[in-house]
Amino acid sequence: SQKIEQNSEALNIQEGKTATLTCNYTNYSPAYLQWYRQDPGRGPVFLLLIRENEKEKRKERLKVTFDTTLKQSLFHITASQPADSATYLCAPRGASGGSYIPTFGRGTSLIVHP
Amino acid sequence: GAVVSQHPSRVICKSGTSVKIECRSLDFQATTMFWYRQFPKQSLMLMATSNEGSKATYEQGVEKDKFLINHASLTLSTLTVTSAHPEDSSFYICSARHRVDRGGDTQYFGPGTRLTVL
């Protein structure tokens, strides 16, 4: 079955540094991959979508890469701020054949220290 | 962006009562909605997939008679926790699937409902 792996340990970084979060997946060939942000006690919020034919996607201070050979996506936040502290969820989607599996990785908690 | 509302945001009930949670897509039509539950510091656990006008598809281990899902319209899905017990206490989140463009679908989430069963 599909498996999504995200580092379960919290990532602690200093304000202004670049945060890099990793998502690995197995038993799946997604056509695209999404990243979400979840704050405590809230529902996840969609951030970015990257397609399998795109190597990199940027949105303001966010950058996502997608390596279908490694089955990995990296999520970067540059010039991080304390307000970026949250849990970030990875969601590979849209396997060939059209199946949509709405599962998520367990998420990585990011803590940005002032 | 697309907005999904969820009501109530918080509910406390006595053991044995039933609780209904509503999920609405406010500015788009959602043919598919999903229901998740989440325990503290745990991942989102998919409970069921709800398609408008048809029966919900439940994940393995989720009791369909206990968690009743109705998706009567393209903008509304409801989850009813029947005869709730303390172990049903959790954070319930709905999401609606929305086609952003030809490149893929996105799920827009409600703010969640904190259920506490005494």
Side-chain angles (χ1 to χ4, degrees):
Chain A
S1 61
Q2 179 195 34
K3 190 174 180 182
I4 305 167
E5 294 178 351
Q6 291 186 258
N7 194 338
S8 58
E9 292 184 10
L11 177 63
N12 287 272
I13 65 167
Q14 209 61 35
E15 181 176 12
K17 300 293 185 183
T18 296
T20 298
L21 309 177
T22 304
C23 172
N24 295 292
Y25 56 91
T26 55
N27 300 327
Y28 197 42
S29 295
Y32 57 99
L33 188 144
Q34 301 167 339
W35 282 88
Y36 291 77
R37 167 184 173 142
Q38 186 177 24
D39 291 282
R42 305 290 296 174
V45 174
F46 169 71
L47 296 176
L48 278 171
L49 180 155
I50 184 168
R51 301 183 183 92
E52 61 179 341
N53 61 349
E54 298 174 316
K55 293 297 182 186
E56 182 180 296
K57 197 81 167 278
R58 291 176 184 262
K59 180 181 176 183
E60 298 173 355
R61 293 185 295 111
L62 308 181
K63 185 179 84 171
V64 173
T65 63
F66 191 12
D67 189 324
T68 56
T69 302
L70 291 178
K71 293 187 180 295
Q72 180 182 80
S73 175
L74 299 179
F75 178 80
H76 306 271
I77 304 176
T78 58
S80 59
Q81 304 166 1
D84 295 326
S85 299
T87 296
Y88 291 86
L89 307 173
C90 160
R93 292 285 185 267
S96 58
S99 61
Y100 186 88
I101 305 173
T103 53
F104 288 81
R106 120 186 239 125
T108 298
S109 176
L110 172 66
I111 302 170
V112 181
H113 299 276
Chain B
V3 177
V4 174
S5 70
Q6 196 171 331
H7 178 80
S9 59
R10 185 179 297 267
V11 59
I12 300 172
C13 68
K14 292 182 179 179
S15 184
T17 60
S18 293
V19 175
K20 179 185 279 189
I21 303 170
E22 289 189 352
C23 177
R24 293 180 185 273
S25 56
L26 298 185
D27 50 1
F28 67 100
Q29 293 182 331
T31 54
T32 304
M33 289 186 174
F34 306 98
W35 286 95
Y36 297 82
R37 66 187 297 182
Q38 187 175 36
F39 293 104
K41 298 189 185 299
Q42 298 295 313
S43 60
L44 292 165
M45 187 189 83
L46 180 67
M47 298 175 66
T49 300
S50 167
N51 291 301
E52 185 266 338
S54 63
K55 290 184 179 179
T57 302
Y58 290 81
E59 295 300 301
Q60 191 172 12
V62 179
E63 299 175 59
K64 62 180 181 180
D65 294 331
K66 181 166 186 62
F67 299 99
L68 300 178
I69 292 172
N70 183 277
H71 194 160
S73 76
L74 287 171
T75 59
L76 173 64
S77 176
T78 60
L79 166 68
T80 301
V81 183
T82 62
S83 187
H85 290 284
E87 57 266 29
D88 298 323
S89 299
S90 188
F91 190 53
Y92 293 86
I93 314 174
C94 72
S95 77
R97 182 179 176 183
H98 182 45
R99 181 162 291 271
V100 179
D101 55 36
R102 60 182 174 82
D105 296 357
T106 294
Q107 287 174 249
Y108 291 94
F109 285 83
T113 297
R114 173 73 59 192
L115 171 64
T116 303
V117 185
L118 303 176

